[in-house]
Amino acid sequence: MKPITFNNTVLRDGHQSLAATRMTTKQMLPVAGTLDGMDFGALETWGGATIDSCLRFLNENPFDRLDQLKAAAPRTPHMMLLRGQNIVQYTSFPDDVVEAFVRCSAKHGMDIFRIFDALNDPRNLRTAIRTVKALGKHAQGVICYTTSPVHTPAKLAALADELVEMECDSICIKDMAGLLTPRITYDLVKAIKSRHSFPVIVHSHDTAGLALASYLAGIDAGADAVDTSIVPFANGTGQPDTLRMQAAMAGHPRVPNYDTRTLLELRKYFEGVAKELTKFMSPANDRVDSDALSYQVPGGMLSNFRTQLVEMKMEAKFNEVMAEVPVVREALGWIPLVTPTSQIVGTQAMLNVKFGRWKNLAQASVDIALGKYGRPPGPVDPEVQALARKQSGQEPVTGRPADLLAPRMPKLREELAAKGLPVTDENAVLFAMFPRETEAFYKPKPAAAPAPAPAAPAPVAAPAALPFAPAMPGKTSRYALTINERRYEATVEILN
Ligand code: CO
């Protein structure tokens, strides 16, 4: 029997799930070569929230990150998470922008494109998959796992047929909320494997402590790979740790053989990185959280929720809002909870509790109800759809939503030129998704914020000029003075 393959997610999902996506390229590069030498099936290094985070928080060009990681880890295929027609944003983009984004990513070395749609609407995957295939790269189609009356294992497995029809090279069962149970994983993998010979990858989160067991069941059912990470960017709301997963497979006919000593060295290195990222990490993310199972929401959404409720002074209503989540989900056609639908459902649940059910419809809820994000898995509540039509004055979309969007690349290039930004396809796609952040990235930075004080020379004019000089000949005194908000320290020796 073939040993199971592990893909490693530490450079993307690992820190996105456990450290608010704040790992910098500089923190990744020292071990990129080591990770590359481990024989992982793939290194997930890009996409998801990393592109947003590079621009918004880290002052990094995302494409430069990809270039550097590819140069440092050239052997193992690099993998990215792509939100289909949403690219790596929350709304739909026209086909030409999706195509340009995929072309740029491939040009900078991306190998495997893991492509999902929050509604599991295959029409939202088509353009990205077609472009990836045309470039000779690997298109991995995704089935987003969720639970609802309309998401039976058989129906989810049937989605695989459509992905295969679109010529995907492999299929990923993506369990963003850690809701997969061992038995369901087994049945899902078996169902897909019995229909198709394509590689099946299981991706889960250990939020509720089930991922490792679900992986084992998936492996027994014939899964070809599972995603693991490295502690401290593993377990909890992230993927199971590589060492832990391998240890759990002792005695299994498919146990892999990833080098334990190197894995321990990597862990040691990442512990150092975690120290630098402490303020973005929370012990709550490491805790096994069975709330995720009863609320059925992704772990990341739970922690965001708590913060948002505090901001809205609604923290006392936490349970009420959580109870409203399934109500909103059902009304919006049982949409899975994954970016961006998790944010949309969460926001609407808060509004329903704050103002009364459906008294205040968020624009995004209107768009979902009118099919602008794609076809929801179940029927939209007629009452909510009527409200959405009334509020927007628009009729529901029945076709593929992106068919209604005009091409934008020529316009984006003009906008870049008008702003004096370098006119490249890379900048155009970044600007389409993150206009303010992309512009800010190229703006001359304000004179580097508090630079470390230079060691020397300290412009001390004359000891006598210092108002507080206890000038005793033969003695040395230390002085500190501040010039233009910069603090200088000097030791002055009184000579006479
Ligand atoms: Co994930």
Side-chain angles (χ1 to χ4, degrees):
M1 249 195 254
K2 231 175 88 197
I4 186 75
T5 297
F6 290 168
N7 298 321
N8 196 279
T9 63
V10 68
L11 301 183
R12 204 286 297 177
D13 208 347
H15 69 104
Q16 179 171 329
S17 296
L18 287 151
T21 334
R22 294 308 211 285
M23 202 187 290
T24 64
T25 307
K26 219 173 127 201
Q27 289 167 324
M28 298 175 181
L29 285 174
V31 286
T34 312
L35 285 166
D36 196 28
M38 292 294 294
D39 271 329
F40 289 125
L43 296 175
E44 196 190 32
T45 50
W46 214 59
T50 62
I51 293 168
D52 190 342
S53 175
C54 273
L55 289 168
R56 195 182 302 272
F57 305 117
L58 307 176
N59 192 30
E60 288 190 31
N61 182 323
F63 287 101
D64 288 350
R65 167 178 291 188
L66 183 50
D67 289 343
Q68 292 181 57
L69 289 174
K70 268 302 272 196
R75 251 184 85 238
T76 314
H78 285 234
M79 177 165 76
M80 76 165 292
L81 185 64
L82 184 62
R83 299 177 197 146
Q85 211 71 30
N86 296 344
I87 314 183
V88 289
Q89 250 289 19
Y90 297 140
T91 55
S92 289
F93 290 89
D95 286 338
D96 66 336
V97 181
V98 176
E99 287 159 3
F101 179 86
V102 171
R103 262 198 318 271
C104 289
S105 309
K107 187 177 108 192
H108 287 264
M110 189 43 63
D111 302 288
I112 301 173
F113 293 75
R114 177 178 281 177
I115 309 166
F116 78 94
D117 175 59
L119 302 184
N120 277 333
D121 183 344
R123 300 171 308 171
N124 287 339
L125 304 174
R126 198 164 291 150
T127 300
I129 292 172
R130 197 179 41 212
T131 314
V132 169
K133 294 298 295 177
L135 292 163
K137 301 292 180 181
H138 184 119
Q140 184 170 105
V142 170
I143 298 170
C144 288
Y145 177 72
T146 188
T147 51
S148 87
V150 298
H151 288 93
T152 59
K155 272 197 182 152
L156 283 169
L159 265 173
D161 299 353
E162 300 197 57
L163 297 173
V164 169
E165 219 167 85
M166 285 192 273
E167 296 184 1
C168 281
D169 298 287
S170 58
I171 290 166
C172 173
I173 301 170
K174 176 179 159 70
D175 173 29
M176 51 281 170
L179 300 175
L180 268 178
T181 65
R183 183 70 216 193
I184 291 173
T185 312
Y186 186 93
D187 289 348
L188 258 178
V189 173
K190 261 276 184 272
I192 298 170
K193 277 291 189 182
S194 67
R195 296 150 89 117
H196 308 288
S197 57
F198 287 77
V200 173
I201 295 96
V202 184
H203 172 94
S204 186
H205 290 249
D206 231 345
T207 321
L210 297 180
L212 186 143
S214 298
Y215 279 2
L216 286 173
I219 292 165
D220 284 341
D224 296 86
V226 295
D227 287 355
T228 59
S229 188
I230 294 172
V231 160
F233 302 103
N235 303 326
T237 50
Q239 279 71 55
D241 174 56
T242 308
L243 268 172
R244 182 177 157 240
M245 190 66 219
Q246 181 160 281
M249 290 187 71
H252 194 287
R254 298 187 67 194
V255 64
N257 187 24
Y258 294 100
D259 185 60
T260 308
R261 226 188 47 196
T262 316
L263 283 169
L264 284 169
E265 279 165 24
L266 283 165
R267 167 188 293 193
K268 203 161 159 239
Y269 175 78
F270 283 116
E271 273 165 3
V273 174
K275 277 204 188 98
E276 295 168 7
L277 299 177
T278 325
K279 66 172 168 176
F280 303 110
M281 300 183 73
S282 155
N285 293 331
D286 283 331
R287 235 169 264 145
V288 170
D289 180 6
S290 47
D291 280 2
L293 292 177
S294 51
Y295 296 139
Q296 308 256 311
V297 308
M301 182 178 163
L302 266 184
S303 60
N304 270 339
F305 236 47
R306 291 201 176 97
T307 319
Q308 282 177 32
L309 287 175
V310 170
E311 279 166 9
M312 293 173 75
K313 298 200 170 44
M314 285 174 67
E315 58 266 48
K317 304 252 171 160
F318 182 78
N319 289 333
E320 233 177 291
V321 175
M322 292 315 296
E324 189 66 13
V325 166
V327 174
V328 174
R329 252 192 96 198
E330 179 172 10
L332 295 179
W334 287 114
I335 51 180
L337 297 178
V338 61
T339 306
T341 44
S342 47
Q343 286 80 352
I344 297 170
V345 170
T347 305
Q348 191 58 52
M350 278 188 247
L351 293 174
N352 279 8
V353 170
K354 199 173 164 85
F355 299 105
R357 193 172 283 167
W358 313 126
K359 292 280 179 278
N360 191 330
L361 268 193
Q363 184 56 41
S365 308
V366 170
D367 290 345
I368 294 265
L370 295 179
K372 288 195 191 173
Y373 280 83
R375 193 190 310 118
V380 173
D381 183 312
E383 183 204 341
V384 175
Q385 196 173 62
L387 283 171
R389 283 161 73 176
K390 199 169 144 215
Q391 184 168 321
S392 64
Q394 291 173 340
E395 287 304 302
V397 175
T398 49
R400 189 184 73 116
D403 285 336
L404 303 173
L405 304 173
R408 257 184 85 189
M409 284 302 282
K411 183 93 198 304
L412 285 164
R413 290 191 195 97
E414 277 169 29
E415 285 172 38
L416 287 176
K419 289 190 177 293
L421 304 181
V423 182
T424 60
D425 279 5
E426 284 83 349
N427 284 342
V429 294
L430 294 178
F431 189 76
M433 292 185 281
F434 310 105
R436 253 176 306 155
E437 291 76 12
T438 305
E439 199 181 347
F441 177 81
Y442 281 102
K443 252 209 241 131
K445 307 282 176 293
V460 178
L466 298 171
F468 45 83
M472 296 280 286
K475 284 223 164 161
T476 56
S477 300
R478 286 185 57 77
Y479 297 101
L481 77 159
T482 304
I483 299 168
N484 290 338
E485 296 176 24
R486 226 181 222 185
R487 185 183 154 93
Y488 296 91
E489 287 187 7
T491 306
V492 177
E493 190 182 351
I494 310 298
L495 297 171
N496 52 357

PDB file of all heavy atoms in Angstrom, residues 12-13 174 203 205 239, ligand 1:
ATOM      1  N   ARG A  12       1.131  28.953   5.139  1.00  0.00           N
ATOM      2  CA  ARG A  12      -0.112  29.631   4.763  1.00  0.00           C
ATOM      3  C   ARG A  12      -1.198  29.394   5.828  1.00  0.00           C
ATOM      4  O   ARG A  12      -1.351  30.192   6.737  1.00  0.00           O
ATOM      5  CB  ARG A  12      -0.578  29.188   3.363  1.00  0.00           C
ATOM      6  CG  ARG A  12      -1.485  30.196   2.637  1.00  0.00           C
ATOM      7  CD  ARG A  12      -2.886  30.298   3.136  1.00  0.00           C
ATOM      8  NE  ARG A  12      -3.663  29.070   2.991  1.00  0.00           N
ATOM      9  CZ  ARG A  12      -4.907  28.932   3.431  1.00  0.00           C
ATOM     10  NH1 ARG A  12      -5.519  29.945   4.023  1.00  0.00           N
ATOM     11  NH2 ARG A  12      -5.545  27.778   3.330  1.00  0.00           N
ATOM     12  N   ASP A  13      -1.891  28.281   5.726  1.00  0.00           N
ATOM     13  CA  ASP A  13      -3.017  28.085   6.637  1.00  0.00           C
ATOM     14  C   ASP A  13      -2.562  28.021   8.095  1.00  0.00           C
ATOM     15  O   ASP A  13      -3.267  28.485   8.992  1.00  0.00           O
ATOM     16  CB  ASP A  13      -3.778  26.815   6.265  1.00  0.00           C
ATOM     17  CG  ASP A  13      -5.249  26.876   6.642  1.00  0.00           C
ATOM     18  OD1 ASP A  13      -5.618  27.780   7.400  1.00  0.00           O
ATOM     19  OD2 ASP A  13      -6.020  26.021   6.187  1.00  0.00           O
ATOM     20  N   LYS A 174     -12.535  20.139   1.601  1.00  0.00           N
ATOM     21  CA  LYS A 174     -12.055  21.239   2.435  1.00  0.00           C
ATOM     22  C   LYS A 174     -13.014  21.445   3.592  1.00  0.00           C
ATOM     23  O   LYS A 174     -14.154  21.855   3.401  1.00  0.00           O
ATOM     24  CB  LYS A 174     -11.966  22.512   1.576  1.00  0.00           C
ATOM     25  CG  LYS A 174     -11.570  23.765   2.323  1.00  0.00           C
ATOM     26  CD  LYS A 174     -11.505  24.919   1.310  1.00  0.00           C
ATOM     27  CE  LYS A 174     -11.631  26.277   1.963  1.00  0.00           C
ATOM     28  NZ  LYS A 174     -10.460  26.636   2.747  1.00  0.00           N
ATOM     29  N   HIS A 203      -8.515  18.140   3.739  1.00  0.00           N
ATOM     30  CA  HIS A 203      -8.020  19.321   4.452  1.00  0.00           C
ATOM     31  C   HIS A 203      -8.981  19.625   5.585  1.00  0.00           C
ATOM     32  O   HIS A 203     -10.162  19.866   5.365  1.00  0.00           O
ATOM     33  CB  HIS A 203      -7.965  20.516   3.487  1.00  0.00           C
ATOM     34  CG  HIS A 203      -7.654  21.822   4.155  1.00  0.00           C
ATOM     35  ND1 HIS A 203      -6.369  22.306   4.239  1.00  0.00           N
ATOM     36  CD2 HIS A 203      -8.443  22.741   4.756  1.00  0.00           C
ATOM     37  CE1 HIS A 203      -6.387  23.467   4.875  1.00  0.00           C
ATOM     38  NE2 HIS A 203      -7.634  23.763   5.202  1.00  0.00           N
ATOM     39  N   HIS A 205      -9.395  21.143   9.981  1.00  0.00           N
ATOM     40  CA  HIS A 205      -8.865  21.949  11.082  1.00  0.00           C
ATOM     41  C   HIS A 205      -9.174  21.223  12.383  1.00  0.00           C
ATOM     42  O   HIS A 205     -10.247  20.628  12.513  1.00  0.00           O
ATOM     43  CB  HIS A 205      -9.500  23.348  11.070  1.00  0.00           C
ATOM     44  CG  HIS A 205      -9.029  24.186   9.910  1.00  0.00           C
ATOM     45  ND1 HIS A 205      -8.225  25.280  10.060  1.00  0.00           N
ATOM     46  CD2 HIS A 205      -9.238  24.064   8.580  1.00  0.00           C
ATOM     47  CE1 HIS A 205      -7.954  25.811   8.870  1.00  0.00           C
ATOM     48  NE2 HIS A 205      -8.568  25.096   7.951  1.00  0.00           N
ATOM     49  N   GLN A 239      -4.152  23.001  11.135  1.00  0.00           N
ATOM     50  CA  GLN A 239      -4.089  21.596  10.737  1.00  0.00           C
ATOM     51  C   GLN A 239      -3.336  20.798  11.810  1.00  0.00           C
ATOM     52  O   GLN A 239      -2.517  21.364  12.537  1.00  0.00           O
ATOM     53  CB  GLN A 239      -3.325  21.451   9.401  1.00  0.00           C
ATOM     54  CG  GLN A 239      -4.166  21.745   8.178  1.00  0.00           C
ATOM     55  CD  GLN A 239      -4.495  23.207   8.049  1.00  0.00           C
ATOM     56  OE1 GLN A 239      -3.610  24.053   8.035  1.00  0.00           O
ATOM     57  NE2 GLN A 239      -5.775  23.523   7.982  1.00  0.00           N
TER      58      GLN A 239
HETATM   59 CO    CO B   1      -8.021  25.702   6.002  1.00  0.00          CO
END
